[in-house]
Amino acid sequence: MEVPVIDLAAYLSAGEGEVGSEVSELCREVSGILRETGALLVKDPRCTVEDNDRFLDMMEKYFESPFHFKRLQERPNLHYQVGVTPEGVEIPRSLVDEEMQEKFRAMPKESQPSIPIGPDPKWRYMWRVGPRPSNTRFQELNSEPVIPDGFPEWKETMDSWGHKMISAIEVVAEMAAIGFGLPKDAFTSLMKQGPHLLAPTGCDLRRYGKEGTVFAGYHYDLNFLTIHGRSRFPGLNIWLRNGKKVEVKVPVGCLLIQTGKQIEWLTAGDCLAGMHEVIVTSRTIDAIKQASEHNRSLWRVSSTLFAHIASDAVLKPLGHFAESPLSRKYPPICAGEFVEQELAVINLKGNKGES
């Protein structure tokens, strides 16, 4: 199955006026795809291939830097929510969540995820995008950015690509809200001043390029929606709502959007957080060979951005979703509190004494 591609140009050209029947139908298609697949491919004329390549080039250069240099940008006292997270720190949820393990053991063999044997062997860099609240209960989730020495283009490149991807997320959030029968700004109003994170990962394919290596174990994202530019190396598998495992192929010029736990909360489970993993596949091996032949970087970089609900906003089922019999599974909780609970499970709060 190919994940459908939605061109956002029609919605963008409609402007602020009343949504016409054609755009309304497109919005229903967006909400339907997110509900059934947990993933959506979009084309946004504001996000170009050149933008993505410029970002990937800089991040490849950074991840190729010496180990000791990268550790200078590490901030474990802030739960790794800014700066670099070294390989071997993030623990895939599937390694510690017994309920999740029971579920995937019950799957047909062909749909089961690859089982990680320890923490993820990937690096990650956390960069806040967009304005932060001046007054918040969750200061560590809204901390100042970390800029590595020797990268004069860092801030402009990170901010430019980050803002463009957030703009694409906001359009999809509006379209999804309309498609779900909610006010157009039902989601975007809660996203304002959220702790949005541009969080590219770096995987060293020279060291970890063996087929079957798990870079990101089977998991869901804790945020609202996640967006990725196209990586130069494939390896992402997602699970559809019906349990089928699908390898995602992102066409050139497209962005991949995935549903996170916060949108599941806001829709009382009508739209579930999408399960996914990143592993070395036979297609990854082919891309490694091709990159080697052309003397290109062998770091697999994902230009991932996590769009969040604002830390001090309350997560609860919205509008008609509050009437769902499943809404009791999603009691009101402050978004920042929810994030801290989730971070504790995957070991990103361990340095402050939490389990």
Side-chain angles (χ1 to χ4, degrees):
M1 171 197 163
E2 296 292 327
V3 177
V5 177
I6 300 292
D7 193 332
L8 304 184
Y11 185 86
L12 289 167
S13 63
E16 294 297 317
E18 188 175 328
V19 176
S21 58
E22 183 180 339
V23 174
S24 292
E25 181 56 37
L26 196 61
C27 292
R28 284 191 289 273
E29 187 176 356
V30 165
S31 62
I33 294 169
L34 291 177
R35 179 189 289 119
E36 295 306 318
T37 71
L40 176 70
L41 289 167
V42 300
K43 290 189 75 170
D44 187 327
R46 302 166 300 176
C47 301
T48 67
V49 173
E50 291 74 23
D51 291 327
N52 194 28
D53 284 343
R54 179 184 174 212
F55 177 83
L56 292 178
D57 289 344
M58 185 184 76
M59 292 311 304
E60 286 175 353
K61 180 183 173 185
Y62 173 78
F63 286 124
E64 286 168 352
S65 301
F67 185 89
H68 67 272
F69 170 79
K70 288 181 286 193
R71 292 295 294 264
L72 296 175
Q73 291 84 53
E74 187 180 4
R75 299 293 183 272
N77 60 308
L78 297 174
H79 311 334
Y80 298 97
Q81 290 304 287
V82 290
V84 77
T85 306
E87 63 181 54
V89 171
E90 285 191 46
I91 295 176
R93 189 159 195 131
S94 53
L95 205 62
V96 294
D97 189 324
E98 292 182 4
E99 183 180 346
M100 190 179 286
Q101 292 170 6
E102 286 179 15
K103 284 182 179 177
F104 65 62
R105 277 195 290 264
M107 293 177 180
K109 201 72 176 173
E110 67 275 10
S111 294
Q112 289 182 3
S114 298
I115 309 303
I117 57 174
D120 291 336
K122 70 175 186 292
W123 292 74
R124 188 190 291 281
Y125 206 100
M126 299 289 209
W127 179 264
R128 298 279 168 210
V129 179
R132 305 269 72 79
S134 56
N135 184 28
T136 175
R137 291 169 49 202
F138 304 95
Q139 196 58 51
E140 72 276 10
L141 300 180
N142 296 276
S143 305
E144 288 300 307
V146 180
I147 301 174
D149 291 336
F151 288 82
E153 76 280 25
W154 187 274
K155 186 177 188 304
E156 195 276 329
T157 301
M158 299 294 266
D159 285 345
S160 173
W161 187 229
H163 280 292
K164 288 185 178 187
M165 290 206 290
I166 284 178
S167 295
I169 284 269
E170 288 172 341
V171 170
V172 171
E174 286 188 358
M175 295 177 75
I178 294 168
F180 283 129
L182 299 171
K184 173 181 170 180
D185 67 347
F187 298 133
T188 53
S189 61
L190 295 173
M191 291 172 60
K192 288 178 180 173
Q193 296 192 335
H196 311 310
L197 271 175
L198 179 56
T201 61
C203 305
D204 187 352
L205 294 170
R206 288 188 192 276
R207 292 181 64 197
Y208 302 112
K210 182 181 177 182
E211 187 169 354
T213 300
V214 180
F215 280 131
Y218 181 74
H219 68 288
Y220 61 76
D221 291 340
L222 61 86
N223 55 296
F224 173 60
L225 290 174
T226 301
I227 185 168
H228 311 264
R230 185 174 185 268
S231 174
R232 289 168 174 163
F233 296 91
L236 175 67
N237 293 323
I238 66 170
W239 277 258
L240 308 183
R241 194 175 187 121
N242 63 9
K244 183 181 178 184
K245 178 180 177 180
V246 176
E247 184 179 1
V248 178
K249 300 174 183 177
V250 181
V252 175
C254 288
L255 302 164
L256 173 68
I257 292 176
Q258 294 173 280
T259 52
K261 203 67 176 179
Q262 291 175 350
I263 194 172
E264 178 177 330
W265 219 272
L266 297 171
T267 61
D270 190 60
C271 188
L272 295 174
M275 304 304 300
H276 51 282
E277 69 178 3
V278 179
I279 66 170
V280 177
T281 67
S282 59
R283 290 181 62 236
T284 317
I285 298 295
D286 291 341
I288 291 171
K289 290 177 182 175
Q290 191 171 25
S292 298
E293 289 168 3
H294 292 86
N295 201 30
R296 295 198 303 264
S297 174
L298 292 181
W299 276 82
R300 183 191 188 277
V301 174
S302 74
S303 55
T304 302
L305 183 138
F306 300 117
H308 278 261
I309 299 304
S311 302
D312 296 276
V314 175
L315 289 176
K316 61 180 181 180
L318 300 176
H320 61 87
F321 292 118
E323 308 304 317
S324 165
L326 295 177
S327 63
R328 66 182 181 275
K329 289 179 58 181
Y330 302 95
I333 183 172
C334 200
E337 185 181 344
F338 172 78
V339 169
E340 289 189 335
Q341 290 176 5
E342 293 283 316
L343 291 177
V345 174
I346 58 174
N347 205 37
L348 295 186
K349 287 189 70 177
N351 223 68
K352 291 190 77 174
E354 293 89 339
S355 61

PDB file of all heavy atoms in Angstrom, residues 138-169:
ATOM      1  N   PHE A 138       6.522  24.717  33.150  1.00  0.00           N
ATOM      2  CA  PHE A 138       7.384  23.672  32.596  1.00  0.00           C
ATOM      3  C   PHE A 138       8.588  24.299  31.902  1.00  0.00           C
ATOM      4  O   PHE A 138       8.778  24.148  30.697  1.00  0.00           O
ATOM      5  CB  PHE A 138       6.574  22.787  31.634  1.00  0.00           C
ATOM      6  CG  PHE A 138       5.353  22.192  32.269  1.00  0.00           C
ATOM      7  CD1 PHE A 138       4.113  22.809  32.151  1.00  0.00           C
ATOM      8  CD2 PHE A 138       5.448  21.031  33.030  1.00  0.00           C
ATOM      9  CE1 PHE A 138       2.987  22.276  32.760  1.00  0.00           C
ATOM     10  CE2 PHE A 138       4.328  20.501  33.642  1.00  0.00           C
ATOM     11  CZ  PHE A 138       3.089  21.119  33.510  1.00  0.00           C
ATOM     12  N   GLN A 139       9.408  25.004  32.676  1.00  0.00           N
ATOM     13  CA  GLN A 139      10.517  25.766  32.109  1.00  0.00           C
ATOM     14  C   GLN A 139      11.520  24.868  31.389  1.00  0.00           C
ATOM     15  O   GLN A 139      12.059  25.238  30.354  1.00  0.00           O
ATOM     16  CB  GLN A 139      11.230  26.552  33.215  1.00  0.00           C
ATOM     17  CG  GLN A 139      12.135  27.659  32.675  1.00  0.00           C
ATOM     18  CD  GLN A 139      11.390  28.677  31.819  1.00  0.00           C
ATOM     19  OE1 GLN A 139      10.377  29.219  32.210  1.00  0.00           O
ATOM     20  NE2 GLN A 139      11.886  28.903  30.616  1.00  0.00           N
ATOM     21  N   GLU A 140      11.773  23.655  31.929  1.00  0.00           N
ATOM     22  CA  GLU A 140      12.763  22.786  31.297  1.00  0.00           C
ATOM     23  C   GLU A 140      12.312  22.305  29.922  1.00  0.00           C
ATOM     24  O   GLU A 140      13.112  21.873  29.106  1.00  0.00           O
ATOM     25  CB  GLU A 140      13.097  21.576  32.187  1.00  0.00           C
ATOM     26  CG  GLU A 140      12.016  20.525  32.286  1.00  0.00           C
ATOM     27  CD  GLU A 140      10.954  20.868  33.353  1.00  0.00           C
ATOM     28  OE1 GLU A 140      10.969  21.994  33.873  1.00  0.00           O
ATOM     29  OE2 GLU A 140      10.136  19.991  33.631  1.00  0.00           O
ATOM     30  N   LEU A 141      10.994  22.374  29.653  1.00  0.00           N
ATOM     31  CA  LEU A 141      10.489  22.010  28.327  1.00  0.00           C
ATOM     32  C   LEU A 141      10.504  23.202  27.388  1.00  0.00           C
ATOM     33  O   LEU A 141      10.088  23.102  26.236  1.00  0.00           O
ATOM     34  CB  LEU A 141       9.061  21.450  28.433  1.00  0.00           C
ATOM     35  CG  LEU A 141       8.891  20.186  29.288  1.00  0.00           C
ATOM     36  CD1 LEU A 141       7.432  19.758  29.296  1.00  0.00           C
ATOM     37  CD2 LEU A 141       9.774  19.062  28.786  1.00  0.00           C
ATOM     38  N   ASN A 142      10.937  24.357  27.866  1.00  0.00           N
ATOM     39  CA  ASN A 142      10.924  25.588  27.075  1.00  0.00           C
ATOM     40  C   ASN A 142      12.244  26.342  27.251  1.00  0.00           C
ATOM     41  O   ASN A 142      12.280  27.561  27.363  1.00  0.00           O
ATOM     42  CB  ASN A 142       9.752  26.474  27.510  1.00  0.00           C
ATOM     43  CG  ASN A 142       8.400  25.822  27.244  1.00  0.00           C
ATOM     44  OD1 ASN A 142       7.884  25.897  26.148  1.00  0.00           O
ATOM     45  ND2 ASN A 142       7.836  25.159  28.240  1.00  0.00           N
ATOM     46  N   SER A 143      13.358  25.609  27.301  1.00  0.00           N
ATOM     47  CA  SER A 143      14.667  26.181  27.609  1.00  0.00           C
ATOM     48  C   SER A 143      15.313  26.830  26.385  1.00  0.00           C
ATOM     49  O   SER A 143      14.902  26.616  25.239  1.00  0.00           O
ATOM     50  CB  SER A 143      15.589  25.091  28.158  1.00  0.00           C
ATOM     51  OG  SER A 143      15.003  24.454  29.272  1.00  0.00           O
ATOM     52  N   GLU A 144      16.381  27.604  26.657  1.00  0.00           N
ATOM     53  CA  GLU A 144      17.101  28.295  25.595  1.00  0.00           C
ATOM     54  C   GLU A 144      17.842  27.290  24.711  1.00  0.00           C
ATOM     55  O   GLU A 144      18.311  26.257  25.190  1.00  0.00           O
ATOM     56  CB  GLU A 144      18.092  29.290  26.199  1.00  0.00           C
ATOM     57  CG  GLU A 144      17.431  30.514  26.813  1.00  0.00           C
ATOM     58  CD  GLU A 144      16.617  31.301  25.811  1.00  0.00           C
ATOM     59  OE1 GLU A 144      17.161  31.660  24.741  1.00  0.00           O
ATOM     60  OE2 GLU A 144      15.413  31.530  26.078  1.00  0.00           O
ATOM     61  N   PRO A 145      18.003  27.592  23.419  1.00  0.00           N
ATOM     62  CA  PRO A 145      18.658  26.649  22.501  1.00  0.00           C
ATOM     63  C   PRO A 145      20.158  26.555  22.735  1.00  0.00           C
ATOM     64  O   PRO A 145      20.775  27.422  23.359  1.00  0.00           O
ATOM     65  CB  PRO A 145      18.351  27.238  21.120  1.00  0.00           C
ATOM     66  CG  PRO A 145      18.158  28.703  21.373  1.00  0.00           C
ATOM     67  CD  PRO A 145      17.511  28.795  22.728  1.00  0.00           C
ATOM     68  N   VAL A 146      20.756  25.468  22.228  1.00  0.00           N
ATOM     69  CA  VAL A 146      22.197  25.227  22.301  1.00  0.00           C
ATOM     70  C   VAL A 146      22.739  25.275  20.875  1.00  0.00           C
ATOM     71  O   VAL A 146      22.238  24.573  19.990  1.00  0.00           O
ATOM     72  CB  VAL A 146      22.489  23.847  22.941  1.00  0.00           C
ATOM     73  CG1 VAL A 146      23.988  23.599  23.009  1.00  0.00           C
ATOM     74  CG2 VAL A 146      21.862  23.751  24.322  1.00  0.00           C
ATOM     75  N   ILE A 147      23.776  26.126  20.654  1.00  0.00           N
ATOM     76  CA  ILE A 147      24.339  26.291  19.310  1.00  0.00           C
ATOM     77  C   ILE A 147      25.790  25.800  19.312  1.00  0.00           C
ATOM     78  O   ILE A 147      26.617  26.313  20.067  1.00  0.00           O
ATOM     79  CB  ILE A 147      24.291  27.767  18.864  1.00  0.00           C
ATOM     80  CG1 ILE A 147      22.843  28.277  18.864  1.00  0.00           C
ATOM     81  CG2 ILE A 147      24.910  27.927  17.474  1.00  0.00           C
ATOM     82  CD1 ILE A 147      22.707  29.759  18.568  1.00  0.00           C
ATOM     83  N   PRO A 148      26.113  24.796  18.493  1.00  0.00           N
ATOM     84  CA  PRO A 148      27.497  24.290  18.463  1.00  0.00           C
ATOM     85  C   PRO A 148      28.446  25.284  17.798  1.00  0.00           C
ATOM     86  O   PRO A 148      28.077  25.970  16.837  1.00  0.00           O
ATOM     87  CB  PRO A 148      27.385  22.998  17.643  1.00  0.00           C
ATOM     88  CG  PRO A 148      26.155  23.170  16.808  1.00  0.00           C
ATOM     89  CD  PRO A 148      25.220  24.048  17.593  1.00  0.00           C
ATOM     90  N   ASP A 149      29.673  25.372  18.316  1.00  0.00           N
ATOM     91  CA  ASP A 149      30.696  26.225  17.710  1.00  0.00           C
ATOM     92  C   ASP A 149      31.049  25.713  16.316  1.00  0.00           C
ATOM     93  O   ASP A 149      31.000  24.511  16.041  1.00  0.00           O
ATOM     94  CB  ASP A 149      31.963  26.228  18.576  1.00  0.00           C
ATOM     95  CG  ASP A 149      31.763  26.947  19.907  1.00  0.00           C
ATOM     96  OD1 ASP A 149      30.859  27.805  19.979  1.00  0.00           O
ATOM     97  OD2 ASP A 149      32.491  26.629  20.869  1.00  0.00           O
ATOM     98  N   GLY A 150      31.419  26.652  15.446  1.00  0.00           N
ATOM     99  CA  GLY A 150      31.886  26.272  14.120  1.00  0.00           C
ATOM    100  C   GLY A 150      30.785  26.092  13.090  1.00  0.00           C
ATOM    101  O   GLY A 150      31.051  25.641  11.971  1.00  0.00           O
ATOM    102  N   PHE A 151      29.553  26.432  13.455  1.00  0.00           N
ATOM    103  CA  PHE A 151      28.424  26.320  12.533  1.00  0.00           C
ATOM    104  C   PHE A 151      27.700  27.669  12.476  1.00  0.00           C
ATOM    105  O   PHE A 151      26.616  27.836  13.039  1.00  0.00           O
ATOM    106  CB  PHE A 151      27.455  25.217  12.989  1.00  0.00           C
ATOM    107  CG  PHE A 151      27.979  23.820  12.796  1.00  0.00           C
ATOM    108  CD1 PHE A 151      28.840  23.250  13.725  1.00  0.00           C
ATOM    109  CD2 PHE A 151      27.632  23.081  11.671  1.00  0.00           C
ATOM    110  CE1 PHE A 151      29.337  21.967  13.554  1.00  0.00           C
ATOM    111  CE2 PHE A 151      28.119  21.788  11.484  1.00  0.00           C
ATOM    112  CZ  PHE A 151      28.984  21.234  12.425  1.00  0.00           C
ATOM    113  N   PRO A 152      28.295  28.667  11.778  1.00  0.00           N
ATOM    114  CA  PRO A 152      27.689  30.009  11.746  1.00  0.00           C
ATOM    115  C   PRO A 152      26.296  30.035  11.124  1.00  0.00           C
ATOM    116  O   PRO A 152      25.498  30.927  11.415  1.00  0.00           O
ATOM    117  CB  PRO A 152      28.692  30.824  10.911  1.00  0.00           C
ATOM    118  CG  PRO A 152      29.470  29.807  10.123  1.00  0.00           C
ATOM    119  CD  PRO A 152      29.551  28.600  11.000  1.00  0.00           C
ATOM    120  N   GLU A 153      26.014  29.043  10.286  1.00  0.00           N
ATOM    121  CA  GLU A 153      24.703  28.996   9.616  1.00  0.00           C
ATOM    122  C   GLU A 153      23.661  28.262  10.439  1.00  0.00           C
ATOM    123  O   GLU A 153      22.492  28.127  10.022  1.00  0.00           O
ATOM    124  CB  GLU A 153      24.857  28.310   8.252  1.00  0.00           C
ATOM    125  CG  GLU A 153      25.004  26.775   8.277  1.00  0.00           C
ATOM    126  CD  GLU A 153      26.397  26.249   8.602  1.00  0.00           C
ATOM    127  OE1 GLU A 153      27.178  26.945   9.254  1.00  0.00           O
ATOM    128  OE2 GLU A 153      26.699  25.111   8.180  1.00  0.00           O
ATOM    129  N   TRP A 154      24.037  27.758  11.629  1.00  0.00           N
ATOM    130  CA  TRP A 154      23.195  26.852  12.402  1.00  0.00           C
ATOM    131  C   TRP A 154      21.804  27.426  12.689  1.00  0.00           C
ATOM    132  O   TRP A 154      20.789  26.847  12.337  1.00  0.00           O
ATOM    133  CB  TRP A 154      23.893  26.481  13.706  1.00  0.00           C
ATOM    134  CG  TRP A 154      23.187  25.430  14.514  1.00  0.00           C
ATOM    135  CD1 TRP A 154      22.185  25.618  15.426  1.00  0.00           C
ATOM    136  CD2 TRP A 154      23.402  24.015  14.446  1.00  0.00           C
ATOM    137  NE1 TRP A 154      21.785  24.414  15.946  1.00  0.00           N
ATOM    138  CE2 TRP A 154      22.508  23.414  15.353  1.00  0.00           C
ATOM    139  CE3 TRP A 154      24.271  23.213  13.714  1.00  0.00           C
ATOM    140  CZ2 TRP A 154      22.465  22.042  15.557  1.00  0.00           C
ATOM    141  CZ3 TRP A 154      24.214  21.841  13.912  1.00  0.00           C
ATOM    142  CH2 TRP A 154      23.324  21.275  14.819  1.00  0.00           C
ATOM    143  N   LYS A 155      21.761  28.565  13.364  1.00  0.00           N
ATOM    144  CA  LYS A 155      20.475  29.106  13.827  1.00  0.00           C
ATOM    145  C   LYS A 155      19.548  29.414  12.653  1.00  0.00           C
ATOM    146  O   LYS A 155      18.363  29.056  12.672  1.00  0.00           O
ATOM    147  CB  LYS A 155      20.694  30.365  14.661  1.00  0.00           C
ATOM    148  CG  LYS A 155      19.407  30.910  15.297  1.00  0.00           C
ATOM    149  CD  LYS A 155      19.686  32.113  16.174  1.00  0.00           C
ATOM    150  CE  LYS A 155      18.424  32.516  16.949  1.00  0.00           C
ATOM    151  NZ  LYS A 155      17.250  32.784  16.093  1.00  0.00           N
ATOM    152  N   GLU A 156      20.095  30.054  11.619  1.00  0.00           N
ATOM    153  CA  GLU A 156      19.244  30.420  10.487  1.00  0.00           C
ATOM    154  C   GLU A 156      18.708  29.189   9.767  1.00  0.00           C
ATOM    155  O   GLU A 156      17.544  29.126   9.396  1.00  0.00           O
ATOM    156  CB  GLU A 156      20.051  31.306   9.521  1.00  0.00           C
ATOM    157  CG  GLU A 156      19.194  32.050   8.504  1.00  0.00           C
ATOM    158  CD  GLU A 156      18.842  31.207   7.272  1.00  0.00           C
ATOM    159  OE1 GLU A 156      19.655  30.342   6.900  1.00  0.00           O
ATOM    160  OE2 GLU A 156      17.753  31.417   6.696  1.00  0.00           O
ATOM    161  N   THR A 157      19.574  28.176   9.606  1.00  0.00           N
ATOM    162  CA  THR A 157      19.150  26.951   8.916  1.00  0.00           C
ATOM    163  C   THR A 157      18.108  26.198   9.732  1.00  0.00           C
ATOM    164  O   THR A 157      17.085  25.745   9.187  1.00  0.00           O
ATOM    165  CB  THR A 157      20.372  26.040   8.652  1.00  0.00           C
ATOM    166  OG1 THR A 157      21.330  26.747   7.861  1.00  0.00           O
ATOM    167  CG2 THR A 157      19.953  24.767   7.917  1.00  0.00           C
ATOM    168  N   MET A 158      18.347  26.048  11.033  1.00  0.00           N
ATOM    169  CA  MET A 158      17.406  25.332  11.900  1.00  0.00           C
ATOM    170  C   MET A 158      16.059  26.063  11.968  1.00  0.00           C
ATOM    171  O   MET A 158      14.994  25.456  11.837  1.00  0.00           O
ATOM    172  CB  MET A 158      17.984  25.179  13.306  1.00  0.00           C
ATOM    173  CG  MET A 158      19.278  24.390  13.392  1.00  0.00           C
ATOM    174  SD  MET A 158      19.132  22.643  12.958  1.00  0.00           S
ATOM    175  CE  MET A 158      18.864  21.898  14.565  1.00  0.00           C
ATOM    176  N   ASP A 159      16.122  27.379  12.168  1.00  0.00           N
ATOM    177  CA  ASP A 159      14.882  28.144  12.293  1.00  0.00           C
ATOM    178  C   ASP A 159      14.095  28.161  10.983  1.00  0.00           C
ATOM    179  O   ASP A 159      12.864  28.012  10.979  1.00  0.00           O
ATOM    180  CB  ASP A 159      15.191  29.590  12.725  1.00  0.00           C
ATOM    181  CG  ASP A 159      15.561  29.695  14.195  1.00  0.00           C
ATOM    182  OD1 ASP A 159      15.314  28.731  14.944  1.00  0.00           O
ATOM    183  OD2 ASP A 159      16.100  30.746  14.592  1.00  0.00           O
ATOM    184  N   SER A 160      14.802  28.322   9.879  1.00  0.00           N
ATOM    185  CA  SER A 160      14.124  28.391   8.581  1.00  0.00           C
ATOM    186  C   SER A 160      13.383  27.088   8.262  1.00  0.00           C
ATOM    187  O   SER A 160      12.189  27.092   7.959  1.00  0.00           O
ATOM    188  CB  SER A 160      15.143  28.698   7.480  1.00  0.00           C
ATOM    189  OG  SER A 160      14.551  28.617   6.203  1.00  0.00           O
ATOM    190  N   TRP A 161      14.104  25.952   8.356  1.00  0.00           N
ATOM    191  CA  TRP A 161      13.474  24.662   8.047  1.00  0.00           C
ATOM    192  C   TRP A 161      12.407  24.312   9.077  1.00  0.00           C
ATOM    193  O   TRP A 161      11.331  23.813   8.751  1.00  0.00           O
ATOM    194  CB  TRP A 161      14.541  23.583   7.956  1.00  0.00           C
ATOM    195  CG  TRP A 161      14.073  22.239   7.482  1.00  0.00           C
ATOM    196  CD1 TRP A 161      14.321  21.033   8.059  1.00  0.00           C
ATOM    197  CD2 TRP A 161      13.288  21.943   6.317  1.00  0.00           C
ATOM    198  NE1 TRP A 161      13.751  20.012   7.345  1.00  0.00           N
ATOM    199  CE2 TRP A 161      13.100  20.545   6.260  1.00  0.00           C
ATOM    200  CE3 TRP A 161      12.714  22.738   5.310  1.00  0.00           C
ATOM    201  CZ2 TRP A 161      12.376  19.909   5.257  1.00  0.00           C
ATOM    202  CZ3 TRP A 161      11.987  22.106   4.300  1.00  0.00           C
ATOM    203  CH2 TRP A 161      11.825  20.715   4.281  1.00  0.00           C
ATOM    204  N   GLY A 162      12.689  24.625  10.348  1.00  0.00           N
ATOM    205  CA  GLY A 162      11.719  24.349  11.399  1.00  0.00           C
ATOM    206  C   GLY A 162      10.424  25.110  11.210  1.00  0.00           C
ATOM    207  O   GLY A 162       9.326  24.544  11.306  1.00  0.00           O
ATOM    208  N   HIS A 163      10.516  26.406  10.914  1.00  0.00           N
ATOM    209  CA  HIS A 163       9.308  27.216  10.731  1.00  0.00           C
ATOM    210  C   HIS A 163       8.509  26.753   9.511  1.00  0.00           C
ATOM    211  O   HIS A 163       7.272  26.758   9.533  1.00  0.00           O
ATOM    212  CB  HIS A 163       9.676  28.695  10.598  1.00  0.00           C
ATOM    213  CG  HIS A 163       9.955  29.363  11.914  1.00  0.00           C
ATOM    214  ND1 HIS A 163       8.977  29.584  12.858  1.00  0.00           N
ATOM    215  CD2 HIS A 163      11.101  29.857  12.439  1.00  0.00           C
ATOM    216  CE1 HIS A 163       9.502  30.186  13.907  1.00  0.00           C
ATOM    217  NE2 HIS A 163      10.792  30.347  13.688  1.00  0.00           N
ATOM    218  N   LYS A 164       9.210  26.361   8.456  1.00  0.00           N
ATOM    219  CA  LYS A 164       8.506  25.891   7.261  1.00  0.00           C
ATOM    220  C   LYS A 164       7.738  24.604   7.551  1.00  0.00           C
ATOM    221  O   LYS A 164       6.590  24.435   7.107  1.00  0.00           O
ATOM    222  CB  LYS A 164       9.488  25.687   6.104  1.00  0.00           C
ATOM    223  CG  LYS A 164       9.993  27.009   5.531  1.00  0.00           C
ATOM    224  CD  LYS A 164      10.876  26.820   4.314  1.00  0.00           C
ATOM    225  CE  LYS A 164      11.291  28.196   3.775  1.00  0.00           C
ATOM    226  NZ  LYS A 164      12.008  28.109   2.485  1.00  0.00           N
ATOM    227  N   MET A 165       8.351  23.699   8.316  1.00  0.00           N
ATOM    228  CA  MET A 165       7.651  22.447   8.623  1.00  0.00           C
ATOM    229  C   MET A 165       6.495  22.683   9.605  1.00  0.00           C
ATOM    230  O   MET A 165       5.449  22.048   9.494  1.00  0.00           O
ATOM    231  CB  MET A 165       8.636  21.405   9.145  1.00  0.00           C
ATOM    232  CG  MET A 165       9.588  20.895   8.068  1.00  0.00           C
ATOM    233  SD  MET A 165      10.212  19.219   8.388  1.00  0.00           S
ATOM    234  CE  MET A 165      11.271  19.529   9.780  1.00  0.00           C
ATOM    235  N   ILE A 166       6.663  23.620  10.549  1.00  0.00           N
ATOM    236  CA  ILE A 166       5.546  23.944  11.436  1.00  0.00           C
ATOM    237  C   ILE A 166       4.390  24.541  10.642  1.00  0.00           C
ATOM    238  O   ILE A 166       3.218  24.240  10.895  1.00  0.00           O
ATOM    239  CB  ILE A 166       5.994  24.909  12.555  1.00  0.00           C
ATOM    240  CG1 ILE A 166       6.791  24.143  13.619  1.00  0.00           C
ATOM    241  CG2 ILE A 166       4.794  25.583  13.216  1.00  0.00           C
ATOM    242  CD1 ILE A 166       7.309  25.009  14.744  1.00  0.00           C
ATOM    243  N   SER A 167       4.707  25.371   9.656  1.00  0.00           N
ATOM    244  CA  SER A 167       3.655  25.948   8.814  1.00  0.00           C
ATOM    245  C   SER A 167       2.868  24.851   8.100  1.00  0.00           C
ATOM    246  O   SER A 167       1.640  24.931   7.985  1.00  0.00           O
ATOM    247  CB  SER A 167       4.266  26.908   7.788  1.00  0.00           C
ATOM    248  OG  SER A 167       4.850  28.021   8.426  1.00  0.00           O
ATOM    249  N   ALA A 168       3.579  23.814   7.625  1.00  0.00           N
ATOM    250  CA  ALA A 168       2.888  22.689   6.974  1.00  0.00           C
ATOM    251  C   ALA A 168       2.016  21.939   7.982  1.00  0.00           C
ATOM    252  O   ALA A 168       0.873  21.570   7.681  1.00  0.00           O
ATOM    253  CB  ALA A 168       3.915  21.738   6.351  1.00  0.00           C
ATOM    254  N   ILE A 169       2.540  21.717   9.211  1.00  0.00           N
ATOM    255  CA  ILE A 169       1.769  21.048  10.270  1.00  0.00           C
ATOM    256  C   ILE A 169       0.504  21.835  10.584  1.00  0.00           C
ATOM    257  O   ILE A 169      -0.582  21.262  10.762  1.00  0.00           O
ATOM    258  CB  ILE A 169       2.619  20.911  11.550  1.00  0.00           C
ATOM    259  CG1 ILE A 169       3.641  19.793  11.405  1.00  0.00           C
ATOM    260  CG2 ILE A 169       1.751  20.679  12.780  1.00  0.00           C
ATOM    261  CD1 ILE A 169       3.195  18.429  11.852  1.00  0.00           C
TER     262      ILE A 169
END
